């Protein structure tokens, strides 16, 4: 359910290490292989030698290495073979020639708190690549959001890769319990205002349920079961043309959005009876040239 990194540059004459994360990755010791397939998910281009593959003890992570120097640009898929069993990844591996890194330290943010009289605010900050947001508290409301918007990260027509590391703290209980409305973190048009409207068009979301639990979603698709403690996750947004892919918590979703618009990060945190702190960092951001 994860290929990391999902994008490799072919301009360096050196080996690249690819991490696969999933379940039951303990390949057969006597009859196994890893193949790189063309975009048709059928044609075998290369087979990774077994001595370039390593599997961790709990069988959930597999690492292989290969030198992709001058490998043709494009989208590829990985096929795992273990005895008579085979599996072809649904997440692709992209090969590009060059990238253009974004200066994440130059990101600026606008925080627009809800102004309802019954809302309590706690400290929320955002500076450069990092942010620490505390959801507003008060009576659970679907229309009262704390809005956070970044400066424009990518211009119209840019293809890009964006990776954000998130940490959701445990819920700090101050009043009652029960299911809350969704809060959203994602990408939207830079021309959109930072207001109480949910402007993240491709996003992940979460809601609290009970006192300390949390549910996570990728564009509406549930990811892991209810989690009853703090959780650290990574979300990846990849844009090629007008196709936006969101990879989060083992789930990949796709959306079609405008290719002629700039994009910013938009977060909308709903008002809840209790509060939690959502800390994050834009760990990777680059344009695909």
């Amino acid at each position: 359910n994860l290929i990391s990194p999902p994008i490799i540059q072919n301009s360096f004459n050196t080996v690249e290490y690819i991490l696969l994360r999933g379940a039951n990755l303990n390949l057969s010791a006597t009859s196994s292989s890893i193949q790189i397939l063309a975009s048709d998910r059928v044609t075998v281009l290369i087979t990774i030698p077994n001595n370039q593959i390593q599997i961790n003890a709990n069988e959930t992570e597999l690492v292989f290495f290969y030198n992709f120097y001058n490998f043709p640009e494009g989208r590829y898929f990985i096929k795992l073979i273990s005895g008579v069993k085979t599996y072809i990844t649904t997440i692709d591996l992209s090969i590009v020639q060059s990238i253009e890194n974004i200066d994440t330290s130059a990101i600026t943010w606008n925080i627009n708190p809800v102004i309802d009289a019954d809302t309590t605010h706690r400290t929320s900050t955002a500076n450069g690549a990092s942010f620490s947001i505390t959801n507003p508290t008060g009576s659970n409301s679907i229309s009262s959001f704390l809005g956070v918007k970044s400066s424009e990260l990518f211009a119209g027509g840019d293809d890009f890769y964006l990776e954000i590391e998130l940490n959701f703290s445990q819920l700090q209980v101050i009043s009652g319990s029960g299911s809350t409305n969704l809060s959203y973190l994602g990408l939207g048009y830079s021309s959109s205002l930072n207001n109480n409207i949910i402007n993240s068009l491709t996003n992940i979301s979460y809601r609290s349920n009970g006192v300390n639990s949390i549910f996570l979603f990728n564009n509406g698709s549930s990811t892991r079961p209810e989690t009853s403690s703090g959780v650290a996750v990574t979300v990846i947004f990849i844009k090629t043309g007008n196709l936006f892919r969101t990879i989060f918590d083992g789930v990949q979703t796709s959306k079609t959005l405008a290719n002629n618009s700039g994009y910013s990060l938009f977060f909308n945190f709903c008002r809840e009876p209790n509060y939690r702190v959502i800390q994050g960092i834009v760990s990777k951001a680059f344009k695909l040239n």
Side-chain angles (χ1 to χ4, degrees), residues 113-265:
V114 293
I115 58 175
D116 302 19
D118 296 330
T119 300
T120 300
H121 295 284
R122 288 170 173 80
T123 302
S124 294
T125 59
N127 182 40
S130 303
F131 54 88
S132 178
I133 309 297
T134 304
N135 65 270
T137 55
S139 299
N140 185 32
S141 172
I142 196 169
S143 60
S144 295
F145 290 97
L146 184 153
V148 181
K149 177 187 177 182
S150 76
S151 51
E152 184 171 284
L153 300 180
F154 303 101
D158 286 345
D159 288 340
F160 57 79
Y161 175 96
L162 180 67
E163 182 173 301
I164 305 170
E165 297 175 12
L166 296 169
N167 191 298
F168 298 85
S169 76
Q170 293 190 353
L171 203 65
Q172 306 301 306
V173 179
I174 57 174
S175 175
S177 62
S179 180
T180 69
N181 295 298
L182 289 171
S183 293
Y184 298 84
L185 301 92
L187 284 169
Y189 302 135
S190 301
S191 57
S192 299
L193 298 176
N194 183 21
N195 49 28
N196 277 0
I197 299 174
I198 300 169
N199 284 313
S200 55
L201 303 177
T202 180
N203 55 56
I204 66 165
S205 57
Y206 73 91
R207 65 176 174 86
S208 299
N209 191 49
V211 174
N212 195 31
S213 58
I214 186 172
F215 286 94
L216 299 170
F217 303 86
N218 180 345
N219 284 296
S221 297
S222 178
T223 59
R224 70 179 69 192
E226 180 179 6
T227 301
S228 297
S229 62
V231 58
V233 292
T234 300
V235 56
I236 296 171
F237 298 102
I238 302 175
K239 173 186 176 291
T240 49
N242 60 359
L243 179 67
F244 287 72
R245 287 177 289 156
T246 303
I247 303 171
F248 173 67
D249 214 29
V251 174
Q252 176 176 272
T253 59
S254 299
K255 279 192 172 183
T256 300
L257 301 174
N259 189 34
N260 59 354
S261 174
Y263 284 88
S264 297
L265 286 167

Side-chain angles (χ1 to χ4, degrees), residues 8 10 70-76 94-98 288-289:
I8 296 291
N10 64 3
N70 286 335
F71 204 85
E73 293 184 81
R75 293 178 62 197
Y76 302 93
S94 294
I95 307 297
V96 299
Q97 184 173 36
S98 61
L288 306 176
N289 296 325

